[in-house]
Amino acid sequence: MEEKQVFRMIFRHSRPEDVPAIGMLFDAARVSMAALGIDQWQNGVPNGNNAAEDVMRGIGRVGEEDGEIIAAYSFITDGEPDYDRIYDGAWLTDETPYAAVHRVTVAQHRRGSGVSTQMMEEIFREARAGGFASVRIDTHEGNIPMRRMLEKQGFVYCGVVYLRGGPDDGAKRVGYEKLLEVEA
């Protein structure tokens, strides 16, 4: 019988010592998106400074496997001002509290291996535990790999949002939302 190596991924809050690894994940994702002709993240943001800020705010999360950081994202529970207005559509929920997710990235060598699915399951678990009815996220309209992953995970396209402030001020993004089942 052939031995199969099994890794156990854990998800946790990011820590200051994780910032360089998260920054490297952002850089690799930026290169990957550029190769696909997607101008998302091409202005140098997100970067290690954003990862450090996420640590300080307590919103940074990482997926770690066998001591290696292979995924990162930001988990926001106090609303997302960019989602206050949506165009050419509507959110699935109205005034209901939601969790927002940003800066999603997976290590290049682990893409297509189920890491995104595990990450989304953890996001849904944390959102449910926090009492949220849904999760919202946005991406560049040309980021087809991300859009496919979101739709595979049960997110529904809701419309267009525009980013406000920072280097991406005014950038158009497509908004998605997933309704969460209530745990009994």
Side-chain angles (χ1 to χ4, degrees):
M1 176 181 229
E2 186 177 318
E3 254 184 69
K4 182 178 178 185
Q5 188 172 13
V6 177
F7 293 100
R8 299 212 183 258
M9 186 156 48
I10 61 164
F11 290 92
R12 60 174 174 76
H13 283 76
S14 55
R15 302 184 291 242
E17 60 268 23
D18 301 328
V19 168
I22 297 168
M24 288 174 28
L25 289 177
F26 290 154
D27 291 343
R30 188 175 356 276
V31 170
S32 178
M33 284 191 267
L36 293 172
I38 303 166
D39 69 359
Q40 187 174 8
W41 293 11
Q42 298 308 303
N43 61 10
V45 176
N47 56 42
N49 291 336
N50 300 111
E53 181 181 314
D54 286 354
V55 169
M56 297 296 288
R57 291 181 56 200
I59 64 170
R61 305 290 189 273
V62 294
E64 183 179 13
E65 185 177 75
D66 199 30
E68 177 187 10
I69 306 254
I70 59 169
Y73 59 94
S74 303
F75 186 82
I76 300 162
T77 60
D78 58 356
E80 169 53 71
D82 291 343
Y83 296 168
D84 289 348
R85 295 185 67 188
I86 189 163
Y87 302 86
D88 301 326
W91 294 114
L92 301 177
T93 59
D94 195 14
E95 298 298 318
T96 309
Y98 61 88
V101 179
H102 289 302
R103 296 190 268 286
V104 174
T105 186
V106 172
Q108 184 73 30
H109 70 281
R110 291 307 309 276
R111 291 189 186 153
S113 70
V115 171
S116 293
T117 297
Q118 291 178 58
M119 180 173 42
M120 286 298 164
E121 287 171 357
E122 176 60 18
I123 288 166
F124 304 150
R125 185 206 62 74
E126 187 172 357
R128 277 190 212 96
F132 296 99
S134 70
V135 175
R136 293 181 184 176
I137 192 168
D138 68 83
T139 191
H140 188 283
E141 65 186 332
N143 192 340
I144 302 305
M146 179 70 167
R147 294 181 74 175
R148 282 187 186 134
M149 184 276 292
L150 292 172
E151 290 167 5
K152 183 179 175 186
Q153 294 302 316
F155 282 87
V156 175
Y157 171 80
C158 292
V160 174
V161 296
Y162 291 92
L163 306 182
R164 294 181 275 173
D168 287 325
D169 189 41
K172 177 182 177 182
R173 297 290 183 256
V174 289
Y176 284 82
E177 187 170 21
K178 178 181 170 81
L179 297 176
L180 300 175
E181 313 82 39
V182 177
E183 291 184 344

